[in-house]
């Protein structure tokens, strides 16, 4: 697992290069929920995914992207809220092998 640095702000958009793929990540608040968008090499992978604690953000393999992202509450088991991003709520990237193991354990 690789931690992706994020900030404790209500909305953020940034790029990260993972496995030679340019990933555009958008994390934003709507109402009481935090949402996640991901585009890889300009192809939309997922949009408006509600962020939950230890739940995969990419719901299915798409366009060869068999990796994933998850949020982890480091102090409990609550869903992420923007004020704790980067400290209490951390965003992690899972490579293909880690994603497969994660799917086995959660199904």
């Amino acid at each position: 697992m690789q931690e992706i640095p994020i900030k404790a702000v209500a909305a953020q958009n940034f790029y990260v290069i993972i496995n030679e793929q340019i990933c555009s990540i958008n994390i934003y608040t709507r109402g009481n929920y935090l949402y996640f968008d991901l585009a890889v090499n300009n192809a939309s992978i997922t949009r408006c995914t509600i962020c939950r604690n230890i739940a995969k953000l990419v719901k299915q393999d798409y366009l060869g992207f068999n990796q994933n992202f998850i949020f982890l509450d480091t102090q409990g088991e609550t869903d992420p809220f923007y004020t704790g991003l980067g400290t209490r709520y951390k965003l992690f990237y899972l490579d293909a092998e880690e994603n497969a193991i994660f799917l086995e354990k959660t199904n």
Side-chain angles (χ1 to χ4, degrees):
M1 284 192 334
Q2 174 186 343
E3 183 178 350
I4 306 298
I6 52 178
K7 299 175 184 174
V9 295
Q12 58 193 294
N13 185 305
F14 57 92
Y15 293 91
V16 61
I17 297 175
I18 298 175
N19 291 338
E20 300 178 11
Q21 301 174 102
I22 300 170
C23 298
S24 171
I25 296 174
N26 188 22
I27 301 169
Y28 52 98
T29 302
R30 283 192 185 158
N32 294 326
Y33 297 100
L34 198 64
Y35 291 86
F36 178 87
D37 298 342
L38 171 67
V40 177
N41 296 328
N42 292 322
S44 180
I45 302 298
T46 188
R47 293 179 48 95
C48 300
T49 302
I50 295 177
C51 301
R52 303 275 187 207
N53 184 48
I54 313 176
K56 61 184 183 172
L57 293 167
V58 178
K59 303 299 183 192
Q60 59 186 343
D61 292 353
Y62 182 71
L63 294 176
F65 190 82
N66 61 350
Q67 300 99 50
N68 223 312
F69 292 88
I70 62 168
F71 275 99
L72 177 63
D73 181 352
T74 62
Q75 298 174 18
E77 297 182 6
T78 62
D79 293 334
F81 190 73
Y82 80 89
T83 56
L85 292 178
T87 54
R88 178 175 180 167
Y89 305 110
K90 298 192 177 228
L91 178 64
F92 289 95
Y93 161 77
L94 305 176
D95 66 22
E97 183 178 331
E98 293 164 333
N99 187 39
I101 293 167
F102 177 79
L103 292 175
E104 272 182 23
K105 291 183 177 186
T106 57
N107 287 333

